Amino acid sequence: MFSKFQKATDKAMVFLQNRALSTLYIPKQKLHMAMNTTSPKVQLLFDLCKNTFTPSGLPSASPQPIRKLCSLLDTFGPADIGLKEESPDDDRGHGFFGLNRVARWAQPITFLDIYECDSFTMCVFCFPTSSVIPLHDHPGMTVFSKVLYGSMHVKAYDWVEPVCIKESREPGYPQVRLARLAVDKVSTAPCGTSVLYPKTGGNLHCFTAVTPCAVLDVLAPPYREDIGRKCTYYIDYPYSTFGSGTEISNGKEEDYAWLAEIETPDDLYMREGVYVGPAIQV
């Protein structure tokens, strides 16, 4: 999955190539055990995902597998995957580096790959304060997101059906497609697991770190460009920008936006870290 972000992170790689990674992610406490077993929670999560997902995603529309996964993910904390919770006072999440104020703003999001196969991906994103993963989609995917520590603002949309597209008559304006706001809130740990689906639940979302924070994600199936599951980025425009002549059948104008596809943002700084949590027995 990290390769989907690679082209946006060359600058970050150059900036950080001489920085040590080991100080950021260290075990904090002994792991809490789930479901009265001796297996680490991350192993239980892997086993449940393996028994739930196929290369095409969820095998059925039954809500039971969703509930089981959410119930397990709800119990996760940073120590369960070998993370140390960062303090908001630690230089915007990067006190360990001892960097100056300017350098701290250039700190990247860190991606930790726990496990990936044709059916699902388990991974973690660690955010310094104010860092952003821009608005992007998850074509044909179901995604579980659990905030492990800190606070994160989530803004998410779903496409309006039937499809509503406007071609711009103005030079310099892109083609836009109508979407409806599904989520606009701050999630602060400890909190419940959020789930987005191929067509509902906020399939297109943007993450902004309010404080240093980390998010455990399970994506099923994973991104895979060769069969159409490409990560595409968007910019949102207020409904009024292109709304003339388009009727809204449900809700207010504030509930809608026009989304335009963009190239992967150059300022998306991301690096790959090292997962140091409990090993998964495959």
Side-chain angles (χ1 to χ4, degrees):
M1 177 181 172
F2 180 70
S3 61
K4 313 304 181 302
F5 302 97
Q6 189 74 48
K7 61 183 179 179
T9 61
D10 291 342
K11 296 178 183 177
M13 291 302 147
V14 172
F15 175 76
L16 290 159
Q17 62 185 349
N18 295 320
R19 303 283 183 186
L21 295 178
S22 58
T23 55
L24 261 182
Y25 303 104
I26 59 176
K28 182 180 180 182
Q29 303 172 350
K30 69 178 183 178
L31 296 173
H32 296 287
M33 302 307 171
M35 300 181 180
N36 298 318
T37 77
T38 58
S39 297
K41 289 182 185 179
V42 71
Q43 181 68 50
L44 298 174
L45 180 60
F46 167 81
D47 293 339
L48 188 53
C49 289
K50 184 178 179 182
N51 293 328
T52 300
F53 300 120
T54 70
S56 59
L58 284 166
S60 70
S62 171
Q64 186 174 4
I66 302 292
R67 286 197 296 264
K68 286 183 177 180
L69 278 162
C70 287
S71 294
L72 177 55
L73 284 165
D74 284 348
T75 69
F76 269 74
D80 294 309
I81 54 172
L83 288 182
K84 180 182 183 298
E85 181 171 353
E86 294 184 11
S87 167
D89 298 325
D90 281 342
D91 293 329
R92 301 190 183 275
H94 289 277
F96 292 107
F97 284 115
L99 302 178
N100 62 44
R101 182 180 180 87
V102 174
R104 284 199 300 270
W105 285 111
Q107 287 303 303
I109 298 163
T110 302
F111 170 83
L112 304 176
D113 184 16
I114 300 176
Y115 180 82
E116 182 168 356
C117 63
D118 289 341
S119 298
F120 63 92
T121 292
M122 296 165 52
C123 61
V124 179
F125 294 91
C126 300
F127 297 76
T129 301
S130 301
S131 59
V132 178
I133 294 183
L135 187 64
H136 62 283
D137 65 354
H138 306 82
M141 300 158 65
T142 300
V143 180
F144 300 76
S145 296
K146 166 62 175 160
V147 178
L148 299 172
Y149 65 78
S151 296
M152 167 174 291
H153 178 255
V154 181
K155 189 175 186 180
Y157 297 93
D158 289 310
W159 294 122
V160 168
E161 299 291 347
V163 175
C164 181
I165 294 176
K166 281 203 169 186
E167 300 284 351
S168 175
R169 297 179 181 178
E170 300 281 339
Y173 277 89
Q175 179 190 77
V176 293
R177 180 175 173 181
L178 189 61
R180 182 169 185 176
L181 186 66
V183 179
D184 189 7
K185 68 177 183 178
V186 173
S187 295
T188 300
C191 58
T193 301
S194 63
V195 188
L196 65 82
Y197 302 91
K199 294 186 177 181
T200 61
N203 186 271
L204 304 97
H205 68 199
C206 171
F207 287 164
T208 303
V210 178
T211 69
C213 58
V215 179
L216 171 61
D217 271 0
V218 176
L219 301 91
Y223 286 112
R224 186 174 164 185
E225 291 190 23
D226 62 329
I227 57 175
R229 290 198 301 270
K230 175 186 176 183
C231 181
T232 303
Y233 291 89
Y234 296 86
I235 185 171
D236 54 346
Y237 295 94
Y239 176 81
S240 58
T241 306
F242 302 95
S244 178
T246 303
E247 292 187 5
I248 293 177
S249 59
N250 187 14
K252 303 177 182 179
E253 287 190 7
E254 293 78 11
D255 297 329
Y256 293 83
W258 297 96
L259 307 189
E261 183 177 337
I262 60 173
E263 296 294 326
T264 303
D266 290 334
D267 58 353
L268 174 57
Y269 293 107
M270 194 172 295
R271 68 169 177 189
E272 188 168 17
V274 179
Y275 170 69
V276 297
I280 292 175
Q281 301 299 318
V282 177

